[in-house]
Amino acid sequence: MKNKKLKRWWAGAVLSFLTLSILTACGDNTAAPATNAATKQAVKLTLSYVPNVQFAPFYVALDKGYFAAEGLDVSFDYSTVNDVLALVGQGKIQFAAAGGDEVLQARAAGVPVTYITTVYQKYPIALAALKDKNIKSVTDLKGKSIGIPGPYGSNYIGLKVLLNAAKLTEQDVTEQSIGFTQREALAAGKVDAAMVFSMNEPVQLEKAGVAVDKIEVSSIYNLASVGLATSESVIAQNPELVQKIVRAMQHGLKDTIANPDAAFDSTIKVAPDAKGD
């Protein structure tokens, strides 16, 4: 019974953020026929975090054979470097899960990357604050300590959005770079609040009995959300590869939306830490 409840808990949290997305260039969204293993094309897809339930559609596509049906041998990379899109633009990484906001910044800096499909319809970043800190709105952030992985990525951008909405600057708060330890830092009271993924740390904290308040960035401004990015050179040189990976990912996304419990089962094969208390 506990595992069933946990599945529903995670699934509901993730499901509220997922969207069905269509890339016009991909045409028919039906998976291609299965390809002999010896002829599959090796593809590296960087998820820029750790194995986690927030990547369920990708895990479903792998588990259900949708990547394989497109002739792809996909491996996931969990790099936490803050210049993933630069590596994509240089051709060192073929595909990366990234926020549309990050892609816009990269392009503004001259990095030749393109956002090719959407995974989340809502910007999934939020501020989670310990209940006893009484942070109910963005105006309550002044003077508080806020944990972020570092001054990069969607968590950092989300914080800047919240501060801007409150007419505050980064000098009005105490930013602490804590890596991806938001849950631990909040539970231990090392920070008053932390920038988190909405379907990740707040869910875990609540299950652990740590009461938090949450302010969704999307409730203030819904930025271009998490999707998949690649380089302009990959699109130009191998458009069929782009079409294949988008079709397979979207197939996994549809399955995740249709059956989130089954998607959780696929997820724990790759991210076993998502299972349990």
Short mmCIF file of all heavy atoms in Angstrom, two decimals, residues 106-141:
data_model
loop_
_atom_site.label_atom_id
_atom_site.label_comp_id
_atom_site.label_asym_id
_atom_site.label_seq_id
_atom_site.Cartn_x
_atom_site.Cartn_y
_atom_site.Cartn_z
N ALA A 106 21.86 31.26 -23.86
CA ALA A 106 22.99 30.72 -24.62
C ALA A 106 23.04 31.34 -26.02
O ALA A 106 24.10 31.75 -26.49
CB ALA A 106 22.87 29.20 -24.71
N ARG A 107 21.88 31.42 -26.66
CA ARG A 107 21.85 32.01 -28.01
C ARG A 107 22.24 33.49 -27.97
O ARG A 107 22.93 33.98 -28.88
CB ARG A 107 20.47 31.83 -28.63
CG ARG A 107 20.17 30.40 -29.04
CD ARG A 107 18.92 30.32 -29.92
NE ARG A 107 19.13 31.01 -31.19
CZ ARG A 107 19.67 30.44 -32.26
NH1 ARG A 107 20.10 29.20 -32.22
NH2 ARG A 107 19.80 31.14 -33.38
N ALA A 108 21.82 34.18 -26.95
CA ALA A 108 22.18 35.59 -26.82
C ALA A 108 23.69 35.76 -26.67
O ALA A 108 24.25 36.80 -27.04
CB ALA A 108 21.47 36.21 -25.62
N ALA A 109 24.34 34.70 -26.14
CA ALA A 109 25.79 34.74 -25.98
C ALA A 109 26.51 34.17 -27.20
O ALA A 109 27.73 34.00 -27.18
CB ALA A 109 26.19 33.95 -24.73
N GLY A 110 25.75 33.87 -28.26
CA GLY A 110 26.35 33.39 -29.49
C GLY A 110 26.54 31.89 -29.58
O GLY A 110 27.20 31.40 -30.50
N VAL A 111 25.96 31.12 -28.64
CA VAL A 111 26.08 29.67 -28.68
C VAL A 111 25.04 29.11 -29.67
O VAL A 111 23.84 29.39 -29.52
CB VAL A 111 25.85 29.05 -27.28
CG1 VAL A 111 25.97 27.53 -27.34
CG2 VAL A 111 26.84 29.63 -26.28
N PRO A 112 25.46 28.36 -30.68
CA PRO A 112 24.53 27.91 -31.73
C PRO A 112 23.70 26.69 -31.32
O PRO A 112 23.85 25.58 -31.83
CB PRO A 112 25.47 27.57 -32.89
CG PRO A 112 26.73 27.09 -32.22
CD PRO A 112 26.85 27.94 -30.97
N VAL A 113 22.78 26.88 -30.38
CA VAL A 113 21.89 25.81 -29.92
C VAL A 113 20.44 26.18 -30.22
O VAL A 113 20.10 27.36 -30.36
CB VAL A 113 22.06 25.54 -28.41
CG1 VAL A 113 23.41 24.90 -28.13
CG2 VAL A 113 21.89 26.83 -27.60
N THR A 114 19.61 25.15 -30.31
CA THR A 114 18.20 25.34 -30.63
C THR A 114 17.35 24.43 -29.74
O THR A 114 17.70 23.29 -29.47
CB THR A 114 17.91 25.01 -32.11
OG1 THR A 114 18.64 25.93 -32.93
CG2 THR A 114 16.43 25.15 -32.43
N TYR A 115 16.24 24.98 -29.29
CA TYR A 115 15.26 24.25 -28.47
C TYR A 115 14.34 23.51 -29.44
O TYR A 115 13.70 24.12 -30.28
CB TYR A 115 14.51 25.31 -27.67
CG TYR A 115 13.50 24.87 -26.64
CD1 TYR A 115 13.89 24.62 -25.34
CD2 TYR A 115 12.15 24.79 -26.95
CE1 TYR A 115 12.96 24.29 -24.36
CE2 TYR A 115 11.22 24.45 -25.99
CZ TYR A 115 11.63 24.20 -24.69
OH TYR A 115 10.70 23.87 -23.74
N ILE A 116 14.30 22.17 -29.36
CA ILE A 116 13.61 21.40 -30.39
C ILE A 116 12.28 20.80 -29.97
O ILE A 116 11.47 20.44 -30.82
CB ILE A 116 14.52 20.28 -30.95
CG1 ILE A 116 15.02 19.38 -29.83
CG2 ILE A 116 15.67 20.89 -31.73
CD1 ILE A 116 15.80 18.17 -30.32
N THR A 117 12.04 20.66 -28.67
CA THR A 117 10.73 20.15 -28.24
C THR A 117 10.53 20.45 -26.77
O THR A 117 11.49 20.57 -26.01
CB THR A 117 10.60 18.63 -28.50
OG1 THR A 117 9.24 18.23 -28.28
CG2 THR A 117 11.50 17.81 -27.60
N THR A 118 9.29 20.60 -26.38
CA THR A 118 8.94 20.93 -25.00
C THR A 118 8.55 19.68 -24.22
O THR A 118 7.89 18.80 -24.75
CB THR A 118 7.76 21.93 -24.98
OG1 THR A 118 8.15 23.11 -25.68
CG2 THR A 118 7.36 22.29 -23.56
N VAL A 119 8.96 19.62 -22.96
CA VAL A 119 8.56 18.52 -22.07
C VAL A 119 7.57 19.02 -21.02
O VAL A 119 6.56 18.38 -20.76
CB VAL A 119 9.78 17.88 -21.40
CG1 VAL A 119 9.36 16.71 -20.51
CG2 VAL A 119 10.78 17.39 -22.44
N TYR A 120 7.87 20.17 -20.40
CA TYR A 120 7.00 20.71 -19.34
C TYR A 120 6.23 21.92 -19.87
O TYR A 120 6.83 22.82 -20.46
CB TYR A 120 7.82 21.16 -18.14
CG TYR A 120 8.46 20.06 -17.33
CD1 TYR A 120 8.32 18.72 -17.66
CD2 TYR A 120 9.22 20.38 -16.20
CE1 TYR A 120 8.92 17.74 -16.90
CE2 TYR A 120 9.82 19.40 -15.43
CZ TYR A 120 9.67 18.08 -15.79
OH TYR A 120 10.26 17.11 -15.04
N GLN A 121 4.93 21.96 -19.59
CA GLN A 121 4.15 23.12 -20.00
C GLN A 121 4.26 24.26 -18.99
O GLN A 121 4.08 25.42 -19.35
CB GLN A 121 2.68 22.73 -20.18
CG GLN A 121 1.98 22.28 -18.90
CD GLN A 121 0.53 21.94 -19.15
OE1 GLN A 121 -0.07 22.50 -20.04
NE2 GLN A 121 -0.04 21.03 -18.37
N LYS A 122 4.58 23.95 -17.75
CA LYS A 122 4.76 24.99 -16.73
C LYS A 122 6.22 25.02 -16.32
O LYS A 122 6.87 23.99 -16.19
CB LYS A 122 3.90 24.71 -15.49
CG LYS A 122 2.41 24.89 -15.71
CD LYS A 122 1.67 25.00 -14.38
CE LYS A 122 1.76 23.75 -13.55
NZ LYS A 122 0.99 23.86 -12.28
N TYR A 123 6.73 26.22 -16.09
CA TYR A 123 8.10 26.37 -15.58
C TYR A 123 8.17 25.69 -14.21
O TYR A 123 7.42 26.05 -13.29
CB TYR A 123 8.40 27.86 -15.46
CG TYR A 123 9.85 28.20 -15.28
CD1 TYR A 123 10.76 28.03 -16.32
CD2 TYR A 123 10.31 28.71 -14.07
CE1 TYR A 123 12.10 28.36 -16.17
CE2 TYR A 123 11.64 29.05 -13.90
CZ TYR A 123 12.53 28.86 -14.96
OH TYR A 123 13.85 29.20 -14.79
N PRO A 124 9.02 24.68 -14.05
CA PRO A 124 8.91 23.80 -12.87
C PRO A 124 9.69 24.26 -11.65
O PRO A 124 9.82 23.51 -10.69
CB PRO A 124 9.50 22.49 -13.40
CG PRO A 124 10.55 22.93 -14.36
CD PRO A 124 9.99 24.16 -15.02
N ILE A 125 10.19 25.48 -11.66
CA ILE A 125 11.00 25.97 -10.54
C ILE A 125 10.13 26.67 -9.51
O ILE A 125 9.20 27.39 -9.84
CB ILE A 125 12.10 26.92 -11.05
CG1 ILE A 125 12.96 26.23 -12.11
CG2 ILE A 125 12.96 27.42 -9.90
CD1 ILE A 125 13.66 24.97 -11.64
N ALA A 126 10.48 26.45 -8.24
CA ALA A 126 9.75 27.09 -7.15
C ALA A 126 10.73 27.43 -6.03
O ALA A 126 11.85 26.92 -5.98
CB ALA A 126 8.65 26.18 -6.62
N LEU A 127 10.28 28.28 -5.15
CA LEU A 127 11.01 28.53 -3.91
C LEU A 127 10.31 27.76 -2.80
O LEU A 127 9.10 27.90 -2.60
CB LEU A 127 11.04 30.02 -3.59
CG LEU A 127 11.76 30.36 -2.28
CD1 LEU A 127 12.74 31.51 -2.48
CD2 LEU A 127 10.78 30.72 -1.16
N ALA A 128 11.05 26.92 -2.10
CA ALA A 128 10.52 26.19 -0.96
C ALA A 128 11.12 26.80 0.30
O ALA A 128 12.34 26.97 0.40
CB ALA A 128 10.88 24.71 -1.06
N ALA A 129 10.26 27.14 1.24
CA ALA A 129 10.71 27.81 2.47
C ALA A 129 10.20 27.05 3.69
O ALA A 129 9.06 26.56 3.70
CB ALA A 129 10.22 29.25 2.50
N LEU A 130 11.02 26.95 4.71
CA LEU A 130 10.58 26.33 5.95
C LEU A 130 9.39 27.10 6.52
O LEU A 130 9.37 28.33 6.51
CB LEU A 130 11.73 26.32 6.96
CG LEU A 130 12.95 25.47 6.57
CD1 LEU A 130 14.10 25.73 7.53
CD2 LEU A 130 12.58 23.99 6.56
N LYS A 131 8.38 26.36 6.98
CA LYS A 131 7.15 26.99 7.45
C LYS A 131 7.40 28.06 8.51
O LYS A 131 6.76 29.12 8.49
CB LYS A 131 6.23 25.91 8.03
CG LYS A 131 5.42 25.13 7.03
CD LYS A 131 4.18 25.89 6.60
CE LYS A 131 3.29 25.02 5.73
NZ LYS A 131 2.12 25.78 5.24
N ASP A 132 8.34 27.79 9.42
CA ASP A 132 8.53 28.74 10.52
C ASP A 132 9.24 30.01 10.10
O ASP A 132 9.41 30.94 10.90
CB ASP A 132 9.26 28.08 11.68
CG ASP A 132 10.65 27.57 11.32
OD1 ASP A 132 11.10 27.81 10.17
OD2 ASP A 132 11.30 26.93 12.17
N LYS A 133 9.66 30.10 8.82
CA LYS A 133 10.29 31.33 8.33
C LYS A 133 9.26 32.32 7.81
O LYS A 133 9.59 33.45 7.50
CB LYS A 133 11.30 31.00 7.22
CG LYS A 133 12.41 30.07 7.67
CD LYS A 133 13.20 30.63 8.85
CE LYS A 133 14.28 29.67 9.31
NZ LYS A 133 15.04 30.21 10.47
N ASN A 134 8.01 31.87 7.71
CA ASN A 134 6.89 32.74 7.35
C ASN A 134 7.13 33.48 6.03
O ASN A 134 6.90 34.69 5.93
CB ASN A 134 6.61 33.74 8.48
CG ASN A 134 5.21 34.32 8.38
OD1 ASN A 134 4.27 33.63 7.96
ND2 ASN A 134 5.06 35.58 8.76
N ILE A 135 7.58 32.74 5.03
CA ILE A 135 7.76 33.31 3.69
C ILE A 135 6.55 32.92 2.86
O ILE A 135 6.48 31.83 2.30
CB ILE A 135 9.07 32.81 3.05
CG1 ILE A 135 10.27 33.21 3.92
CG2 ILE A 135 9.22 33.37 1.64
CD1 ILE A 135 11.59 32.67 3.42
N LYS A 136 5.59 33.80 2.81
CA LYS A 136 4.32 33.51 2.13
C LYS A 136 4.24 34.15 0.75
O LYS A 136 3.45 33.73 -0.08
CB LYS A 136 3.14 33.99 2.98
CG LYS A 136 3.13 33.46 4.40
CD LYS A 136 2.93 31.96 4.46
CE LYS A 136 2.83 31.47 5.90
NZ LYS A 136 2.70 30.00 5.98
N SER A 137 5.03 35.19 0.54
CA SER A 137 5.02 35.89 -0.75
C SER A 137 6.43 36.37 -1.06
O SER A 137 7.33 36.32 -0.20
CB SER A 137 4.05 37.08 -0.71
OG SER A 137 4.58 38.10 0.12
N VAL A 138 6.62 36.84 -2.27
CA VAL A 138 7.96 37.27 -2.68
C VAL A 138 8.47 38.44 -1.84
O VAL A 138 9.68 38.59 -1.65
CB VAL A 138 7.99 37.62 -4.18
CG1 VAL A 138 7.81 36.38 -5.02
CG2 VAL A 138 6.95 38.69 -4.52
N THR A 139 7.58 39.25 -1.32
CA THR A 139 8.02 40.40 -0.53
C THR A 139 8.62 39.96 0.81
O THR A 139 9.32 40.75 1.46
CB THR A 139 6.85 41.37 -0.27
OG1 THR A 139 5.78 40.66 0.36
CG2 THR A 139 6.36 41.98 -1.57
N ASP A 140 8.36 38.73 1.22
CA ASP A 140 8.90 38.22 2.48
C ASP A 140 10.34 37.72 2.34
O ASP A 140 10.94 37.27 3.33
CB ASP A 140 8.03 37.07 3.01
CG ASP A 140 6.61 37.49 3.31
OD1 ASP A 140 6.43 38.63 3.79
OD2 ASP A 140 5.69 36.69 3.07
N LEU A 141 10.91 37.79 1.13
CA LEU A 141 12.25 37.26 0.90
C LEU A 141 13.35 38.16 1.42
O LEU A 141 14.48 37.71 1.65
CB LEU A 141 12.47 37.02 -0.60
CG LEU A 141 11.62 35.93 -1.25
CD1 LEU A 141 11.87 35.89 -2.74
CD2 LEU A 141 11.93 34.58 -0.61
#
